[in-house]
Amino acid sequence: MPCPSQSSDELVFFVNGKKVTEKNVDPEVTLLAFLRRNLRLTGSKYACGTGGCGACTVMVSRHDPVSRKTRHFSVTACLVPLCSLHGAAVTTVEGVGSIKTRLHPVQERIAKSHGTQCGFCTPGMVMSMYTLLRNHPQPSEEQLMEALGGNLCRCTGYRPILDSGRTFCTMSTQEQEPNGCQQKGKGKCCLDQKEDDSLGAKSNICTELFAKEEFQPLDPTQEPIFPPELLRMAENPEKQTLTFYGERITWISPGTLQDLLALKAKYPEAPVVSGSTSLGPAMKSQGHFYPILLSPARVPDLRMVTKSSDGLTIGACCSLAQLKDILAESISELPEEKTQTYQALLKHLRSLAGQQIRNMATLGGHVISRHCYSDLNPILSVGKATLNLLSEDGARQIPLDGSFLAGLASADLTPEEILTSVYIPHSRKWEFVSAFRQAQCPHNALPDVNAGMRVLFSEGTDTIEDLSIAFGGVGPATVSAHRSCQQLLGRHWNALLLDEACRHLLEEISLPGSALGGKVEFKRTLMVSFLFKFYLEVLQGLRRKLKLSSESADSQRYPAIANRFLSALEDFQVTLPQGVQTYQRVDPRQPLQDPVGRPIMHLSGLKHATGEATFCDDIPRVDEELFMALVTSTRAHARIISIDSSEAFALPGVVDVITAEDIPGANGANDDKLLAVDEVLCVGQIICAVVAETDVQAKRATEKIKITYEDLEPMIFTIEDAIKHNSFLCPEKKLEQGNIEEAFENVDQIVEGEVHVGGQEHFYMETQRALVIPKTEDQELDVYVSTQDPAHVQKTVSSTLNIPSNKITCHVKRVGGGFGGKVGRPAVFGAIAAVGAVKTGRPIRLVLDREDDMLITGGRHPLFGKYKAGFMSSGRIKALDIECYINGGCTLDDSELVTEFLVLKLENAYKIRNLRLRGRACMTNLPSNTAFRGFGFPQGTLVTESCITAVAAKCGLPPEKIREKNMYKTIDKTIYKQAFSPEPLIRCWNECLDKSSFHARRTQVEEFNRKNYWKKRGIAIIPMKFSVGFAATSYHQAAALVHIYTDGSVLVAHGGNELGQGIHTKMLQVASRELKVPMSYMYICETSTAMVPNTIATAASVGADVNGRAVQNACQILLKRLEPIIKKNPDGTWRDWIEAAFEQRISLSATGYFRGYKAFMDWEKQEGDPFPYYVYGAACSEVEIDCLTGAHKKIRTDIVMDACCSLNPAIDVGQIEGAFIQGMGLYTTEELHYSPEGVLYSRSPEEYKIPSVTDVPQQFNVSLLPNSETPLTIYSSKGLGESGMFLGSSVFFAIADAVAAARRERDLEEDFTVQSPATPERVRMACADRFTDMIPRDDPKTFKPWSIPIA
């Protein structure tokens, strides 16, 4: 047992070339916590804590004395136990390069390629690429994709990050061709062609956002060497056992195998921890606790690899990355028939987790953990692998079979035994082994179902001699279909066998309707779909082995697979995305030093890449600082009977517990309390907060607070229930024009349908966090917070503490992503932390864990929509009635505004004379949903576009024809009577059709679908009219403060917050143009309520618009003051003029102000001018789906966006791409699951899949519409923050198009119930076939489902 009085051994390792010697290491401390807290290296970020996002990636280097080589590998520092690093060298982003000394080429290129926006994920990206280059100075494109597969980014859409990485890659064959050119079928590059004369020559169009020539070259000889002291330690390893005693846990690391066996005999219950990728998260999130941990890391015997004539024996401590290399090597050396099992394993290792986890996780750990979703165990079990065990009593072998995987005591390890190695035999001549998996997305996602299948034939025949099949994901452990396999022995491999095998399988492996993880019918379907794929693969293999020509006598027995079925055998390959970004060059007459309209790098780009950009939680610890952790409700609707915190106070380090009674002022609003009083309305509502000396102590204490509840009725979670109980948050919003009832009487056809759109989690990389520092006098407070609206935080803190706003200063340096999720919520966290700070008189730091952030904060509103459309056979829609309900959660928050915007924006690009649009926000017992990029438009307009698709299906016309027919054509008024010209909309649409070669590709898609039964392609083009801004004039006001100092330097402050959208960069571009001074003279420090008061949230796409006008105004005032001086001395320098102005007592400080765009809406009259202007765009996407698994591949996307005169094309293209990929996530992979009790299951990147590098379309082209202007805005630019989000639906409709093609071929009727996201489950089940028909279906009344649909 841990006993801190015993002395620990010394832990020795290096960080960035400096030796670290730790005497008292706590085994519970991770490398990330140590780097950030002890070494103050804050470049590695804390974002998820489970190794799922890559933000904390660092490089670990170890010397291998056998091969005499130093190995470098990327790891997620949040999972690495500090104790495991004895003898290792760690490199963090700070050790790679710095803006103070020299930048590394990786850092320079990711910044200059515009691969950083908010910059929170950038250090992790840099470290993944840096590690790759240390191992492979000229990597292949495949290696680059692999290296970045475990890193998530929520801002950029990945394309610029991959572009920066591509500059290091060896030229691929694809790149030597003029790939990436958008051919228009004329055989010429589209950029060389002359457009209509009205557009002028194309020479003003540019496709370069950065100049590769400027990059410094990569010189591998300049990298730091491996520390000589560690080299000596590795060459002459100490054999003695190292022991580290922590507060609760002891870590023992023996130096020899004998010592490990002795320890395992002494502590049989102690787990052997190798990579900590399974045990680490279990101890963090699931409360698993072990007082003693044994580490085999220093026992070289467990890393041995032996090749024999009949198989491979791989040491249990070999990482999965090493296993991948070993298998690849064996496959290249051995004849193909011997490597069947190895190829199957390798296939799964490519998509299993991310590179960092594969570097840490070991084969032994993977096997012994026996997770039900294990990707390797099913293959190892059918491949007849053997486990070599060892204990003090001797060695023995057990088969890795169904009994072992089921955990049967007779087939398992004894407590004293350890796994030393795994033996994997070669496959034999007439043996076939295959592996299958299907997950929510292709890479770095836990599988829904996976399988290993093996068959052995009697030589020269198709008679089954041995058969084994194992599945993961369909039970609590990997399941072996032993009985079914036995029944099929001796049979011939033909269609008859397939049907029987499917039947047997479904009988033997029965999945209950209430099974963990849900998706029950999908999982059953996948089992038989995989078996069918295996059947075809083996049939192909048999024909190849028997070299049958179709004429031979045996051809009847081995039927050839028809060409149109062959596509079932091909897996989707991952390739590095290509693309072109086009924008209009600045006018050649524009002065060189005027930066407006040029692709300037993000001001903080280089600091992002070196980890020197400071985020809220990177602020160094303040004297006497305390940590806060929140206690949330575990019930959805209940009365609080009592809160007992006595056990929490008994824990070490606990200082106080903050409850509603401690709030001196207002506890939030009536219906929206900061801290719950008497009643809770959802799971995740904040009840109280613990304040302690460390974050670990605070979190531990939250578990000891005992709250007793009494459940209340009703508990409402779904929109359906809310409608039933008449539970709404606000009155209905409605717009109507024409005579809809009469119009429905006079149409050829009517179609009705339903649309369900799931919610979306913001998943900003930086979770909610705040630091509140009480000053020593006059109740002053400094609040550092990650927010889009510091003024709102200030107001909330003021009313909560009953202190006037002038004593509260809110500071925002930069925000690690917001997307609407940091508009309202940060005020709650800031206010609760402020109550703690005032009560204790000490600074308080509050940093939410990812799980808590996802549970508490709410996200995009799920939506249920119904439409009824009346139309003529030509496709002209005469009448349309749409009714939408959104799931608002338990409090009003922004739900009324979202409903209003939803209704205002529903018509999208279409002029329909008789139109009725209605919207309501439902009140449910879920965390309150809030603002999210697009603000209702991405959900609502999906209903409109689904309706268009339904009309097209009824008319037998392609959807794009219906879209064109019903689009606004001439200057017109919207349903709310706002006049506008659709000319840029039509230009975007036509340009998108043209650039994407839409019509030619539509024909190719149809041709492909004729030739392929199991794979289908779909293509869709979607127009967009997106309204920008808030529907109220006062929300468009903005202010700025510009100081000029006597040395000529300029300090700019404005009311916008830097969220990654580059607002500070754009503001300095504006100031530089107005003052005619280079940007290098200028600086923006932070956004602060003391510098610019009463600011509006940075939201609604207008941040740069309105603040730009305020900065412009301030600069113009200053320039006007300087005019007489400049006139007097026209040849003087800027500094001369400023000094002269100071001498003449001219004020060098000015406040700029913009009164705002006029915007209003009268809901009584149903008319107004609610939006200052529109952003127009169009996107075309093409996908391919696998009808057997539901997987899809994005082949190509073309976006045309009307940005008018972009202030900064690099930033604007980045915003469009980032929003598009985020929208694509909303419509394809991002799925929130709630339990029937209203508990959110999806609370980590493992359970909630945002797009990763492998989800980017293979060809991804973005162009900004040239020669477009708007007189209203600053320099005729437009705000593009949100509009791209909805264009992600082009992928959704392309998938729907492919599914419709499959259904038509199978003679299934059109289904007018649309469900988003289009997950593999929904796609597979929509492509109904003989396999979906044969699975058993459960009566919903007979079981309680694992999750409920809340839309």
Side-chain angles (χ1 to χ4, degrees):
M1 268 309 292
C3 175
S5 61
Q6 292 168 274
S7 69
S8 290
D9 288 300
E10 262 191 355
L11 178 72
V12 177
F13 62 105
F14 276 65
V15 175
N16 298 335
K18 290 187 183 137
K19 184 175 177 179
V20 178
T21 309
E22 279 295 304
K23 291 222 165 41
N24 299 309
V25 183
D26 188 332
E28 292 186 78
V29 171
T30 62
L31 172 58
L32 180 64
F34 182 80
L35 290 172
R36 291 183 62 83
R37 211 162 300 150
N38 299 45
L39 302 184
R40 300 263 194 282
L41 295 172
T42 53
S44 309
K45 303 296 182 215
Y46 173 71
C48 77
T50 55
C53 72
C56 64
T57 302
V58 298
M59 181 175 88
V60 172
S61 309
R62 287 187 188 274
H63 185 71
D64 178 11
V66 183
S67 65
R68 289 287 176 84
K69 283 187 181 143
T70 300
R71 282 190 62 245
H72 308 286
F73 43 98
S74 54
V75 300
T76 45
C78 67
L79 287 185
V80 177
L82 195 63
C83 294
S84 67
L85 290 170
H86 190 71
V90 176
T91 308
T92 70
V93 70
E94 292 90 345
V96 173
S98 159
I99 51 172
K100 299 185 185 86
T101 51
R102 64 179 277 279
L103 288 169
H104 190 277
V106 171
Q107 295 167 319
E108 178 198 37
R109 293 185 196 187
I110 196 168
K112 291 185 177 172
S113 308
H114 315 289
T116 86
Q117 284 184 24
C118 85
F120 201 80
C121 74
T122 311
M125 295 282 180
V126 165
M127 290 315 299
S128 287
M129 276 202 257
Y130 176 74
T131 309
L132 171 68
L133 295 174
R134 288 299 301 267
N135 291 319
H136 306 281
Q138 282 195 306
S140 67
E141 294 189 346
E142 191 185 343
Q143 286 170 325
L144 175 68
M145 289 293 278
E146 200 171 80
L148 292 175
N151 291 76
L152 297 179
C153 168
R154 196 54 156 161
C155 299
T156 62
Y158 300 104
R159 193 271 315 153
I161 297 171
L162 293 168
D163 272 3
S164 75
R166 185 190 268 113
T167 62
F168 296 105
C169 290
T170 46
M171 287 279 275
S172 71
T173 44
Q174 287 170 308
E175 233 179 71
Q176 286 148 11
E177 300 157 22
N179 176 294
C181 163
Q182 306 165 359
Q183 292 289 337
K184 293 197 177 169
K186 301 176 193 164
K188 279 194 205 152
C189 172
C190 59
L191 301 175
D192 298 338
Q193 291 173 22
K194 296 281 182 284
E195 287 292 315
D196 313 344
D197 291 337
S198 61
L199 297 185
K202 264 276 173 143
S203 59
N204 66 342
I205 298 298
C206 188
T207 60
E208 291 292 316
L209 287 170
F210 59 90
K212 290 193 186 81
E213 308 75 57
E214 290 174 16
F215 294 156
Q216 51 168 324
L218 176 71
D219 182 357
T221 63
Q222 296 302 301
E223 300 296 359
I225 60 163
F226 189 70
E229 182 178 342
L230 295 185
L231 208 60
R232 289 194 295 276
M233 278 172 68
E235 295 289 349
N236 312 299
E238 305 161 11
K239 295 281 190 275
Q240 97 233 37
T241 296
L242 298 178
T243 311
F244 305 108
Y245 299 100
E247 198 183 316
R248 311 190 305 164
I249 291 180
T250 301
W251 177 285
I252 311 176
S253 170
T256 66
L257 187 55
Q258 281 65 38
D259 290 349
L260 178 60
L261 297 176
L263 285 162
K264 192 68 176 125
K266 188 176 174 186
Y267 306 113
E269 298 308 311
V272 178
V273 185
S274 198
S276 193
T277 55
S278 172
L279 199 69
M283 288 173 75
K284 179 183 185 287
S285 311
Q286 294 151 30
H288 291 212
F289 178 75
Y290 305 95
I292 291 178
L293 299 175
L294 304 179
S295 163
R298 295 169 56 239
V299 180
D301 316 48
L302 299 180
R303 286 194 297 276
M304 303 287 275
V305 177
T306 319
K307 296 182 179 181
S308 63
S309 58
D310 51 5
L312 281 174
T313 303
I314 296 169
C317 279
C318 284
S319 71
L320 298 184
Q322 285 168 302
L323 173 65
K324 191 165 162 280
D325 295 342
I326 294 160
L327 292 173
E329 189 182 306
S330 294
I331 290 166
S332 67
E333 292 168 353
L334 295 166
E336 191 185 354
E337 63 194 36
K338 290 191 173 183
T339 62
Q340 294 272 315
T341 311
Y342 305 156
Q343 289 184 48
L345 286 165
L346 190 60
K347 174 182 163 185
H348 276 190
L349 280 165
R350 288 201 180 100
S351 52
L352 187 155
Q355 182 72 37
Q356 297 92 322
I357 299 293
R358 290 195 296 270
N359 285 332
M360 296 157 69
T362 57
L363 175 60
H366 186 95
V367 168
I368 295 289
S369 297
R370 284 177 275 205
H371 290 299
C372 62
Y373 50 75
S374 158
D375 271 322
L376 305 184
N377 284 347
I379 309 166
L380 291 168
S381 106
V382 301
K384 296 272 201 268
T386 311
L387 304 180
N388 296 316
L389 312 178
L390 199 57
S391 69
E392 287 203 309
D393 298 338
R396 71 183 183 111
Q397 295 184 323
I398 58 170
L400 195 168
D401 59 8
S403 309
F404 165 77
L405 293 170
L408 298 183
S410 58
D412 208 345
L413 290 75
T414 63
E416 296 80 24
E417 283 179 318
I418 63 160
L419 171 65
T420 57
S421 60
V422 180
Y423 167 70
I424 314 171
H426 295 331
S427 50
R428 289 170 284 173
K429 186 170 183 188
W430 289 88
E431 193 166 38
F432 298 91
V433 184
S434 291
F436 306 96
R437 81 191 294 269
Q438 181 54 46
Q440 188 82 340
C441 50
H443 282 71
N444 199 10
L446 297 176
D448 292 319
V449 178
N450 56 21
M453 301 187 186
R454 180 188 65 89
V455 62
L456 174 69
F457 294 105
S458 303
E459 186 149 349
T461 71
D462 69 343
T463 308
I464 299 172
E465 195 174 297
D466 192 16
L467 175 67
S468 43
I469 295 174
F471 290 104
V474 293
T478 301
V479 182
S480 188
H482 185 69
R483 198 175 69 231
S484 306
C485 293
Q486 288 302 308
Q487 287 169 311
L488 299 167
L489 297 183
R491 299 285 304 276
H492 292 294
W493 197 259
N494 55 26
L496 217 59
L497 165 107
L498 174 68
D499 287 344
E500 200 175 316
C502 290
R503 214 171 48 249
H504 286 317
L505 262 187
L506 290 168
E507 277 168 24
E508 182 175 358
I509 301 176
S510 64
L511 199 58
S514 58
L516 220 61
K519 308 185 184 183
V520 173
E521 292 181 357
F522 175 49
K523 288 179 174 184
R524 289 172 184 158
T525 307
L526 282 178
M527 288 184 345
V528 286
S529 301
F530 286 162
L531 185 62
F532 175 61
K533 282 190 171 232
F534 183 56
Y535 166 76
L536 291 181
E537 275 183 22
V538 173
L539 209 54
Q540 276 285 78
L542 275 176
R543 287 185 66 83
R544 221 173 309 147
K545 273 211 184 331
L546 295 161
K547 297 210 168 47
L548 281 183
S549 61
S550 48
E551 291 83 49
S552 88
D554 267 350
S555 65
Q556 292 314 302
R557 190 144 142 231
Y558 308 117
I561 304 170
N563 282 345
R564 48 199 293 269
F565 292 157
L566 279 176
S567 59
L569 300 173
E570 292 155 27
D571 288 316
F572 292 139
Q573 297 306 311
V574 173
T575 51
L576 189 65
Q578 311 274 348
V580 181
Q581 302 78 45
T582 45
Y583 61 96
Q584 193 164 350
R585 283 182 212 277
V586 298
D587 189 311
R589 292 169 303 220
Q590 181 172 319
L592 270 176
Q593 74 165 29
D594 177 353
V596 170
R598 303 186 197 275
I600 306 278
M601 175 180 71
H602 193 296
L603 282 183
S604 300
L606 294 171
K607 284 184 289 190
H608 291 155
T610 60
E612 290 163 287
T614 305
F615 290 86
C616 183
D617 190 35
D618 299 337
I619 297 169
R621 293 271 320 249
V622 191
D623 191 32
E624 294 211 295
E625 177 180 301
L626 297 172
F627 286 85
M628 179 178 268
L630 304 175
V631 179
T632 56
S633 163
T634 54
R635 303 290 177 84
H637 189 197
R639 188 174 288 111
I640 299 173
I641 305 297
S642 67
I643 302 173
D644 175 8
S645 45
S646 55
E647 278 188 51
F649 275 113
L651 290 177
V654 174
V655 176
D656 211 338
V657 175
I658 308 294
T659 64
E661 288 158 15
D662 296 312
I663 295 176
N667 181 11
N670 284 341
D671 67 331
D672 197 356
K673 301 271 183 247
L674 295 177
L675 293 172
V677 182
D678 302 335
E679 190 183 352
V680 288
L681 298 174
C682 68
V683 174
Q685 185 171 350
I686 306 168
I687 295 174
C688 58
V690 176
V691 175
E693 297 288 346
T694 70
D695 56 341
V696 175
Q697 289 168 336
K699 282 168 196 164
R700 233 171 250 163
T702 59
E703 292 158 22
K704 297 292 181 194
I705 291 188
K706 301 282 181 277
I707 300 171
T708 33
Y709 303 93
E710 180 192 317
D711 282 337
L712 297 172
E713 290 294 325
M715 285 191 198
I716 300 169
F717 303 120
T718 67
I719 291 177
E720 193 185 343
D721 286 348
I723 296 170
K724 216 179 286 171
H725 284 92
N726 203 23
S727 173
F728 297 107
L729 288 163
C730 55
E732 180 182 76
K733 304 292 171 185
K734 179 177 166 186
L735 292 174
E736 192 167 350
Q737 69 181 14
N739 185 332
I740 194 150
E741 266 69 34
E742 188 184 307
F744 274 123
E745 303 284 300
N746 300 314
V747 291
D748 296 343
Q749 294 186 66
I750 289 176
V751 65
E752 295 185 58
E754 289 185 355
V755 179
H756 302 262
V757 187
Q760 187 179 23
E761 160 62 34
H762 297 94
F763 213 95
Y764 25 69
M765 294 303 291
E766 177 195 35
T767 56
Q768 301 273 359
R769 40 198 70 179
L771 171 62
V772 179
I773 305 173
K775 297 282 192 66
T776 47
E777 52 184 283
D778 296 333
Q779 301 179 305
E780 278 187 72
L781 281 181
D782 267 333
V783 182
Y784 296 88
V785 62
S786 178
T787 180
Q788 295 172 242
D789 194 352
H792 177 52
V793 177
Q794 181 191 35
K795 272 183 215 148
T796 309
V797 172
S798 163
S799 65
T800 307
L801 298 179
N802 228 342
I803 294 173
S805 291
N806 60 1
K807 294 185 180 177
I808 297 159
T809 307
C810 210
H811 306 263
V812 179
K813 183 83 174 168
R814 58 176 59 81
V815 177
F819 316 115
K822 291 183 181 169
V823 176
R825 304 309 290 179
V828 173
F829 303 114
I832 295 171
V835 173
V838 168
K839 188 180 178 193
T840 59
R842 293 167 67 177
I844 296 277
R845 192 180 292 254
L846 171 60
V847 176
L848 256 58
D849 276 347
R850 179 65 62 187
E851 299 96 283
D852 290 338
D853 191 299
M854 292 182 79
L855 178 70
I856 296 168
T857 58
R860 186 183 295 285
H861 291 75
L863 172 141
F864 164 60
K866 295 189 286 194
Y867 63 80
K868 177 181 173 186
F871 54 97
M872 310 311 283
S873 301
S874 65
R876 181 84 187 128
I877 299 171
K878 294 286 191 189
L880 177 60
D881 188 359
I882 297 181
E883 189 170 12
C884 289
Y885 296 91
I886 60 172
N887 193 328
C890 60
T891 62
L892 183 60
D893 199 290
D894 280 331
S895 295
E896 185 163 12
L897 274 175
V898 170
T899 310
E900 290 180 1
F901 274 51
L902 179 86
V903 170
L904 288 168
K905 298 179 182 206
L906 265 173
E907 64 169 23
N908 193 17
Y910 306 110
K911 175 69 179 175
I912 292 155
R913 301 209 176 279
N914 304 288
L915 184 60
R916 183 193 295 142
L917 309 171
R918 288 170 291 176
R920 289 221 75 171
C922 300
M923 180 173 166
T924 59
N925 294 108
L926 292 174
S928 192
N929 285 311
T930 186
F932 198 139
R933 196 178 203 168
F935 212 70
F937 181 77
Q939 305 99 293
T941 314
L942 198 76
V943 181
T944 313
E945 294 296 340
S946 299
C947 171
I948 298 270
T949 311
V951 169
K954 284 279 192 193
C955 294
L957 291 167
E960 58 275 10
K961 287 275 175 284
I962 308 297
R963 292 193 166 99
E964 265 173 7
K965 206 172 225 56
N966 291 286
M967 225 182 277
Y968 278 102
K969 300 286 194 309
T970 55
I971 291 180
D972 209 324
K973 285 188 172 177
T974 62
I975 184 170
Y976 42 87
K977 316 285 187 290
Q978 183 165 349
F980 79 105
S981 163
E983 187 248 353
L985 168 69
I986 293 156
R987 277 187 59 202
C988 284
W989 174 260
N990 290 334
E991 184 113 345
C992 191
L993 283 170
D994 192 22
K995 279 190 181 297
S996 65
S997 317
F998 181 84
H999 296 298
R1001 280 170 54 218
R1002 164 68 83 195
T1003 313
Q1004 288 162 9
V1005 163
E1006 285 163 5
E1007 182 63 19
F1008 177 91
N1009 290 344
R1010 263 197 302 281
K1011 289 181 176 166
N1012 293 281
Y1013 187 82
W1014 295 113
K1015 292 258 169 64
K1016 293 289 174 201
R1017 286 189 179 171
I1019 190 168
I1021 181 167
I1022 303 288
M1024 177 190 70
K1025 166 172 112 329
F1026 181 81
S1027 41
V1028 164
F1030 303 94
T1033 305
S1034 63
Y1035 275 80
H1036 292 133
Q1037 61 182 305
L1041 180 62
V1042 178
H1043 299 316
I1044 306 174
Y1045 295 92
T1046 50
D1047 64 354
S1049 65
V1050 181
L1051 181 68
V1052 178
H1054 61 93
N1057 300 280
E1058 180 55 71
L1059 317 170
Q1061 83 287 38
I1063 190 168
H1064 287 349
T1065 311
K1066 285 181 171 178
M1067 293 309 96
L1068 290 197
Q1069 286 177 277
V1070 169
S1072 172
R1073 167 176 277 190
E1074 292 298 333
L1075 294 176
K1076 304 181 176 55
V1077 177
M1079 279 174 75
S1080 57
Y1081 284 35
M1082 305 184 167
Y1083 182 62
I1084 293 181
C1085 171
E1086 62 173 7
T1087 306
S1088 152
T1089 53
M1091 299 280 273
V1092 181
N1094 314 321
T1095 54
I1096 302 299
T1098 305
S1101 302
V1102 292
D1105 282 34
V1106 298
N1107 288 291
R1109 291 291 281 268
V1111 169
Q1112 180 185 38
N1113 176 239
C1115 292
Q1116 286 173 349
I1117 291 167
L1118 287 166
L1119 211 57
K1120 195 147 188 66
R1121 290 179 195 162
L1122 292 172
E1123 241 170 36
I1125 291 173
I1126 298 171
K1127 262 203 185 117
K1128 218 182 213 170
N1129 179 12
D1131 298 330
T1133 63
W1134 171 252
R1135 198 165 169 175
D1136 295 340
W1137 298 334
I1138 298 307
E1139 281 174 354
F1142 179 73
E1143 291 296 326
Q1144 293 178 31
R1145 306 188 310 287
I1146 291 172
S1147 166
L1148 292 171
S1149 172
T1151 301
Y1153 191 65
F1154 174 53
R1155 292 197 62 193
Y1157 301 123
K1158 288 213 174 13
F1160 67 93
M1161 180 65 203
D1162 184 329
W1163 283 95
E1164 289 295 301
K1165 294 184 182 161
Q1166 298 189 14
E1167 61 182 61
D1169 272 10
F1171 305 111
Y1173 62 88
Y1174 298 98
V1175 170
Y1176 306 98
C1180 165
S1181 291
E1182 182 184 353
V1183 302
E1184 186 177 320
I1185 65 169
D1186 182 334
C1187 302
L1188 284 165
T1189 62
H1192 73 270
K1193 170 176 87 172
K1194 300 160 198 83
I1195 296 171
R1196 177 169 166 180
T1197 291
D1198 294 87
I1199 297 174
V1200 178
M1201 193 72 96
D1202 166 40
C1204 283
C1205 301
S1206 167
L1207 290 179
N1208 184 327
I1211 284 175
D1212 286 344
V1213 166
Q1215 286 294 292
I1216 294 164
E1217 291 174 334
F1220 172 84
I1221 296 290
Q1222 205 174 44
M1224 196 181 78
L1226 164 70
Y1227 301 120
T1228 59
T1229 60
E1230 298 184 35
E1231 194 173 23
L1232 291 165
H1233 293 289
Y1234 291 86
S1235 79
E1237 293 73 40
V1239 181
L1240 177 66
Y1241 288 130
S1242 334
R1243 281 156 58 183
S1244 73
E1246 284 72 39
E1247 291 129 2
Y1248 183 77
K1249 303 314 292 183
I1250 71 168
S1252 71
V1253 284
T1254 51
D1255 292 297
V1256 182
Q1258 282 180 350
Q1259 177 90 25
F1260 191 18
N1261 305 314
V1262 175
S1263 67
L1264 303 182
L1265 192 70
N1267 305 312
S1268 170
E1269 287 193 9
T1270 167
L1272 185 69
T1273 58
I1274 184 156
Y1275 311 143
S1276 199
S1277 65
K1278 281 189 176 183
L1280 296 170
E1282 299 171 281
S1283 47
M1285 190 92 202
F1286 173 65
L1287 295 181
S1289 70
S1290 61
V1291 171
F1292 178 86
F1293 287 108
I1295 293 172
D1297 187 48
V1299 168
R1303 290 180 67 89
R1304 278 196 300 275
E1305 189 167 41
R1306 291 155 175 71
D1307 289 329
L1308 300 163
E1309 80 288 353
E1310 283 284 339
D1311 182 8
F1312 295 123
T1313 302
V1314 173
Q1315 299 219 320
S1316 166
T1319 57
E1321 175 187 15
R1322 292 194 172 129
V1323 172
R1324 174 63 188 101
M1325 299 318 283
C1327 296
D1329 54 31
R1330 59 194 251 216
F1331 302 112
T1332 53
D1333 292 345
M1334 68 170 63
I1335 62 159
R1337 309 266 174 164
D1338 304 305
D1339 176 357
K1341 296 187 188 74
T1342 59
F1343 65 92
K1344 182 180 176 183
W1346 175 74
S1347 74
I1348 51 170
I1350 59 163

